[in-house]
Amino acid sequence: MAQNETAHAPADDVGGDTEEFDPIGTLTLIGIYFVILVLSWVYIYYIEFLGRDLVVVG
Amino acid sequence: MHIHAYEKIWLATSVLLILFLLGSVTYGAVGPGVAMVSDTEPTIDAGALDEDERFSEPRVEQVGENEYAAYVVARQFGFQPDPIVLPANSTVTFYITSADVIHGFEVAGTNANTMVVPGEVSEITVRVEEPQEYGLICNEYCGAGHHVMEGKVNVVSQAAFEERTSGGDGE
């Protein structure tokens, strides 16, 4: 998808500094995925794993 | 090469995410001191455990101030000793070996979990806190009775532990 969009971009946007292509939806989606990943990791590692009894220390 | 501003953002956040994951594991190792099951123990003869100094008589013994060693033998279909009685607020190192096939040693609901391989000694050190009774299960299929292979780990108060050892262990 991204390749197609960049492939025809040079036709009207050769300089590339003016950001006409503005995939705010994709950015939001990635942002949401990112937050889910971070929260899951915090839960799995810091709460479930480190919070349990008998942490193996050696 | 032109890189879109948004792409730079998600490239940077992915790198940050990786650093955060690696950082967490590093923190776990340095802060709470999380370690792996040790593989430093030499191999032993699984067929001659009754002649082994540590495993001929599976037991819990004191090895230092507030430090205990638990020698555990897993066999079809149970653990010895059963129950494994430990004093509260101490550091316990489990040395676990198998007399027959591969078993698992999992103190249910905790992070103490290791494979038990015949000929190998699995060593894990844990810190035990309050008196509590834990279940102990085998989590590697080991034969027809695998589903009934279980034990108990009883963490009792220091006083109760001493009373037990001085009472029962009078040699």
Side-chain angles (χ1 to χ4, degrees):
Chain A
M1 191 183 78
Q3 270 191 345
N4 283 343
E5 280 152 348
T6 46
H8 61 68
D12 47 11
D13 181 22
V14 182
D17 275 342
T18 52
E19 305 281 13
E20 282 183 26
F21 175 53
D22 195 23
I24 188 73
T26 309
L27 182 68
T28 314
L29 201 57
I30 290 180
I32 293 169
Y33 288 160
F34 188 83
V35 170
I36 291 173
L37 267 178
V38 169
L39 291 181
S40 323
W41 177 257
V42 167
Y43 179 70
I44 292 166
Y45 193 82
Y46 290 93
I47 298 173
E48 275 212 310
F49 178 64
L50 289 185
R52 294 217 289 189
D53 281 354
L54 305 187
V55 171
V56 175
V57 294
Chain B
M1 190 180 70
H2 174 65
I3 300 177
H4 194 284
Y6 288 176
E7 205 162 355
K8 285 180 189 158
I9 293 176
W10 58 66
L11 275 173
T13 44
S14 351
V15 171
L16 286 178
L17 184 68
I18 293 168
L19 291 179
F20 173 60
L21 301 187
L22 292 176
S24 303
V25 176
T26 310
Y27 161 77
V30 173
V34 176
M36 300 291 111
V37 176
S38 169
D39 62 352
T40 53
E41 286 288 314
T43 55
I44 59 169
D45 182 359
L49 290 186
D50 52 343
E51 290 157 27
D52 190 276
E53 182 194 328
R54 296 179 297 178
F55 296 105
S56 57
E57 201 186 313
R59 65 199 180 273
V60 177
E61 68 178 26
Q62 185 157 13
V63 290
E65 196 188 336
N66 240 354
E67 285 176 24
Y68 296 82
Y71 302 106
V72 180
V73 174
R75 61 175 79 236
Q76 289 168 321
F77 297 98
F79 296 95
Q80 297 168 291
D82 186 28
I84 302 172
V85 180
L86 305 171
N89 301 309
S90 63
T91 304
V92 179
T93 302
F94 289 98
Y95 297 89
I96 313 143
T97 194
S98 167
D100 35 49
V101 299
I102 293 179
H103 294 283
F105 177 92
E106 177 179 353
V107 185
T110 74
N111 292 340
N113 183 351
T114 178
M115 272 178 94
V116 184
V117 182
E120 302 271 349
V121 178
S122 305
E123 179 196 347
I124 52 174
T125 301
V126 299
R127 178 95 205 126
V128 295
E129 309 288 347
E130 298 301 305
Q132 195 178 335
E133 190 176 304
Y134 296 100
L136 175 62
I137 54 165
C138 171
N139 59 13
E140 295 278 346
Y141 182 74
C142 59
H146 168 65
H147 61 289
V148 295
M149 183 165 171
E150 58 170 1
K152 284 258 182 298
V153 176
N154 288 346
V155 179
V156 299
S157 66
Q158 288 275 1
F161 181 80
E162 269 153 38
E163 190 178 319
R164 192 177 186 282
T165 43
S166 58
D169 239 5
E171 293 164 65

